Amino acid sequence: NVLGAVSIQALSTNSLEFRDVNIFTNLEGGQLDIEIQPIGIFGGTIQGNLRLNSSGNSTELSTQVLLSEINVAELVPRVPQLNTVTGKLNAEMDYSASGGSINAMLDSLNGSTTFAVTENSVDIGLLKQVFTGITALSPDGDSVQQWPDVIQFSELGGYLLFEDGIDANQQLK
């Protein structure tokens, strides 16, 4: 039985900062458990655990990750396509796989990701400009000008499901 722990007050790389990093590990009988306590990032937290069990004939992998109150505005500079979106991201990922090779594990992948963005808004000013230009040719095209520049939502959510691998049976809503 091998136990381990890592504790770091703050870890910075380029413009990314992780706060209050606490990771615990346990290796026993061919099973590795890694537990990540809530880490401060992007104004929220990320936490999770990973279990890798190779004590049997095939390797079993399971992982759970929880994102809480991630500030989308702080995340956006890393994803330029989202530069007009604001809000708080909450997500939960729970996946498992097993097999004797990476391909076998990918073929057995099962699990889900659920997400919700709250207190959010989307700037549609550029989209509005495009539609205003298009509808200028129409006799009643001025209705687009009445659109707001920013649309606000109380919550936007969805999920991603995998059943029996990554090749088929995915669902995204």
Side-chain angles (χ1 to χ4, degrees), residues 2 7-8 50-51 81 112 124 141 150 160:
V2 179
S7 187
I8 302 170
L50 177 122
R51 173 170 283 171
Q81 295 82 357
S112 64
I124 63 165
V150 175
L160 172 65

Side-chain angles (χ1 to χ4, degrees), residues 24-108:
F24 301 99
T25 62
N26 182 28
L27 178 60
E28 182 177 7
Q31 179 172 297
L32 172 64
D33 289 310
I34 300 173
E35 180 181 344
I36 302 170
Q37 296 294 304
I39 297 172
I41 185 167
F42 300 126
T45 61
I46 182 171
Q47 69 184 67
N49 60 60
L50 177 122
R51 173 170 283 171
L52 187 61
N53 187 345
S54 61
S55 62
N57 292 335
S58 69
T59 301
E60 297 174 4
L61 171 71
S62 64
T63 185
Q64 292 85 33
V65 177
L66 182 63
L67 303 174
S68 299
E69 299 296 307
I70 300 294
N71 185 337
V72 175
E74 289 186 37
L75 179 64
V76 162
R78 286 149 184 83
V79 187
Q81 295 82 357
L82 299 177
N83 64 357
T84 61
V85 179
T86 65
K88 301 286 186 178
L89 172 65
N90 294 286
E92 186 172 344
M93 294 157 260
D94 189 355
Y95 290 95
S96 63
S98 63
S101 69
I102 296 294
N103 286 339
M105 292 182 89
L106 290 174
D107 288 341
S108 72

Side-chain angles (χ1 to χ4, degrees), residues 12-17 78:
S12 296
T13 173
N14 294 330
S15 62
L16 188 59
E17 182 177 316
R78 286 149 184 83

